[in-house]
Amino acid sequence: MAEQTLTRIEISKEYLNFSAGHFTIFSATERENLHGHNFHVRCAVTAAIGPNGLAFDYVDLKRVLKALCDTFDERLLLPELSPFLRLERQEGQVVVLFAEQRMTFLERDVLLLPIRNVTIEELAPLLLARLRDRPELAGMGFHAIELGVSSGAGQWAVATWESA
Ligand SMILES: Nc1nc2c(c(=O)[nH]1)N=C([C@H](O)[C@H](O)COP(=O)(O)OP(=O)(O)OP(=O)(O)O)CN2
């Protein structure tokens, strides 16, 4: 098999962001107040450079990353797998029970996520898994993917995947 030259293409665009509400849960009784961030997403893909000097069209990757960001934008993000939170859907509303507190939101304003806490270290692997599930990127022969999520300048969590 001809020797492959690998490259690592990094995508870090200002428009790869989503504005979302959340609160970080620290224990069964301690959490932050509800607030929001402008979260940012960045991605790096390792792939082989083809015979015509192209690894893959990174425009396809940027489109998928933007679409993923858009699904989280302008929502209150709630963790479905938190050991300390109970979520109930009632007549078009989502009821959030934490310790002795009860919060109610309209379903249209919230996004329930299969994670344990709305932290950057939980959001990064979730977004990476959803990126890998996207059919637009199937068959692109990626060797590795790194996906970072930031809740503010200078603080990132990065999730990684490598092909077997
Ligand atoms: N390990 C983690 N710790 C914390 C997370 C997290 O995702 N993972 N998140 C938070 C909260 O989101 C908190 O609201 C972050 O606040 P802060 O760091 O102050 O965000 P800023 O962008 O305002 O940062 P500045 O340094 O103040 O500019 C807490 N912990």
Side-chain angles (χ1 to χ4, degrees):
M1 181 172 171
E3 192 173 308
Q4 287 188 325
T5 305
L6 298 180
T7 186
R8 181 172 178 276
I9 293 177
E10 294 187 4
I11 301 295
S12 174
K13 288 285 188 179
E14 182 53 34
Y15 60 73
L16 294 179
N17 69 71
F18 55 94
S19 300
H22 86 121
F23 50 87
T24 303
I25 299 171
F26 299 109
S27 72
T29 56
E30 296 300 315
R31 69 172 176 86
E32 294 179 307
N33 288 338
L34 180 59
H35 64 284
H37 294 284
N38 292 319
F39 291 89
H40 280 81
V41 172
R42 68 186 186 202
C43 185
V45 170
T46 301
I49 304 174
N52 63 341
L54 179 76
F56 62 93
D57 183 354
Y58 60 56
V59 172
D60 296 332
L61 177 60
K62 291 193 291 183
R63 279 200 194 107
V64 169
L65 288 165
K66 180 68 171 79
L68 288 175
C69 287
D70 290 348
T71 62
F72 286 58
D73 197 32
E74 297 184 354
R75 295 291 189 93
L76 167 60
L77 306 181
L78 294 169
E80 289 178 309
L81 307 180
S82 167
F84 304 126
L85 206 62
R86 202 163 92 233
L87 304 175
E88 296 171 355
R89 289 184 189 276
Q90 292 173 10
E91 298 163 4
Q93 297 187 329
V94 173
V95 178
V96 180
L97 301 162
F98 175 80
E100 304 305 315
Q101 303 155 24
R102 186 179 194 275
M103 298 166 264
T104 304
F105 302 98
L106 293 177
E107 275 189 343
R108 59 168 285 178
D109 291 327
V110 303
L111 183 64
L112 276 57
L113 299 174
I115 55 178
R116 294 164 294 186
N117 210 339
V118 181
T119 56
I120 53 175
E121 58 264 45
E122 287 281 286
L123 288 171
L126 175 66
L127 278 158
L128 176 58
R130 292 189 177 184
L131 180 76
R132 292 188 54 221
D133 283 346
R134 293 291 289 237
E136 303 94 319
L137 301 180
M140 283 206 172
F142 294 161
H143 286 236
I145 306 171
E146 299 154 62
L147 189 144
V149 175
S150 163
S151 59
Q155 55 202 38
W156 292 84
V158 180
T160 58
W161 167 85
E162 282 192 30
S163 64

